[in-house]
Amino acid sequence: MSVVQARARRIPEWKIKEVEELAELAKNYRVVAIVDLSKTPTAQLQRIRRKIERKFGDKVVLRVAKNTLFKLALKKAGVDPSPLEPYLTGTNMFIFTNLNPFELALALEKIYATKPAKPGDIAPTEIVLPAGDTGFKPGPIMSVFGKLRVPIRVQGGSIWIAKDTKVAKPGDEISPELASILQKLGIEPIIVKLKVKAAYEDGVVIPADKLILDLEAYRRDVAQAHLTALMVGVEIAYPEPQVLEIAIPMAVRRALAVAAEAGYVTPDNAEYVIGLAVARALAVVAALGDTAKELGIDIQVAAPAAAAAPAEEKKEEEEEETEEKKEEVSEEQLAAGLESLFGF
């Protein structure tokens, strides 16, 4: 009998079966996530597993296996395990799935179990002792409540907490007294989550820090990208309804601005061009101040209609005169006036 045969016979049957099952999973699922279990208590792990199975059903397969067996299974499945070796240390659980790895990581981030606090633990969230009967008999424990500044009263031979009381804020270290009270009250403030080390998909290893996306930042980036694309479309007048709704009014405004700068007047833009010219003339006069009077420039600005309050008949006469004057002004006269204003 050869040495190789002797060693093969010494391999336990369960290991061979384990490698075969893991290899089959690696073939059937395109994604595998490696989860660190080194600091996860067994009781909390079981609770988390049940929550994952309820959420995903048969979309995921959870397996706790030895790292050596997992590497052998990957080789058997035709997958090079070397990119994953940095993550195959300590105790791990492997999650096989066809879900998007980012979707899986975000879901796992929201699944947790709780455990009792120990002295020295850090409060993950605000801890509040609820008002009501504690079930404790009056005695030395009352001094513990006093040290924690929890208002109590004795009623019916039992200690009652008088009102909801905050005993720790996020980041506080839990004292021995608080840990003792919390355990006695059955309050488990410490949150236990699965820590994903990495995910592997179709030959690509995604580290944990890349798996958890900042969704708000991602939404902002997508919105900014959409806005940038829209502005590019507007600039090139891309023939899409959403783009043209912005591009056409913008083109009109730009055409009016060019016409105003060039002093080019048409029946459609006359009001805008002349109005802009008048506004500029008034701005120049205002900037000159007293110098305008010295130069003999005197432009009178009409008072608001509300302040003048002319009679109805006078207003009608003025409007008729204005219309007549408008009709009398020829295009040549308009052009000449604009030429003198803009200096063409």
Side-chain angles (χ1 to χ4, degrees), residues 115-314:
K115 69 173 184 176
K118 296 182 296 185
D121 282 344
I122 303 301
T125 58
E126 183 177 272
I127 301 176
V128 175
L129 299 187
D133 187 2
T134 64
F136 304 153
K137 299 296 181 183
I141 197 170
M142 296 175 69
S143 63
V144 178
F145 281 112
K147 188 173 182 179
L148 296 173
R149 297 181 178 179
V150 178
I152 58 172
R153 68 177 187 273
V154 177
Q155 180 178 329
S158 179
I159 298 174
W160 287 62
I161 297 176
K163 63 178 182 178
D164 291 353
T165 307
K166 181 173 70 175
V167 291
K169 60 182 183 296
D172 285 352
E173 182 176 322
I174 295 177
S175 65
E177 293 82 5
L178 179 56
S180 174
I181 288 294
L182 291 173
Q183 289 186 20
K184 286 180 170 60
L185 290 173
I187 297 174
E188 298 184 346
I190 305 302
I191 294 173
V192 179
K193 294 182 180 181
L194 294 183
K195 181 182 178 182
V196 179
K197 291 182 174 181
Y200 177 87
E201 180 182 20
D202 296 333
V204 178
V205 177
I206 309 170
D209 61 339
K210 304 296 184 185
L211 280 171
I212 304 300
L213 301 176
D214 184 342
L215 294 181
E216 286 305 316
Y218 189 73
R219 287 190 186 97
R220 288 195 297 270
D221 290 344
V222 171
Q224 183 60 46
H226 174 265
L227 180 61
T228 302
L230 186 60
M231 289 301 99
V232 170
V234 168
E235 288 298 326
I236 65 174
Y238 191 75
E240 282 290 328
Q242 186 180 4
V243 174
L244 294 179
E245 284 179 8
I246 303 173
I248 292 174
M250 184 178 290
V252 171
R253 287 195 299 272
R254 288 177 176 176
L256 288 173
V258 170
E261 290 298 327
Y264 181 75
V265 182
T266 69
D268 292 329
N269 71 9
E271 182 179 355
Y272 176 82
V273 174
I274 295 172
L276 183 60
V278 172
R280 286 180 175 178
L282 292 175
V284 170
V285 173
L288 289 173
D290 294 337
T291 306
K293 295 180 180 179
E294 294 173 4
L295 295 173
I297 301 173
D298 185 17
I299 297 180
Q300 299 294 328
V301 181
E312 195 67 22
E313 293 179 1
K314 186 176 181 181

Side-chain angles (χ1 to χ4, degrees), residues 38-55:
S38 58
K39 295 183 179 180
T40 307
T42 302
Q44 281 68 37
L45 174 60
Q46 296 307 316
R47 288 191 223 165
I48 292 173
R49 288 189 67 155
R50 287 194 291 270
K51 289 181 179 180
I52 293 174
E53 289 167 352
R54 283 198 299 269
K55 180 175 181 60

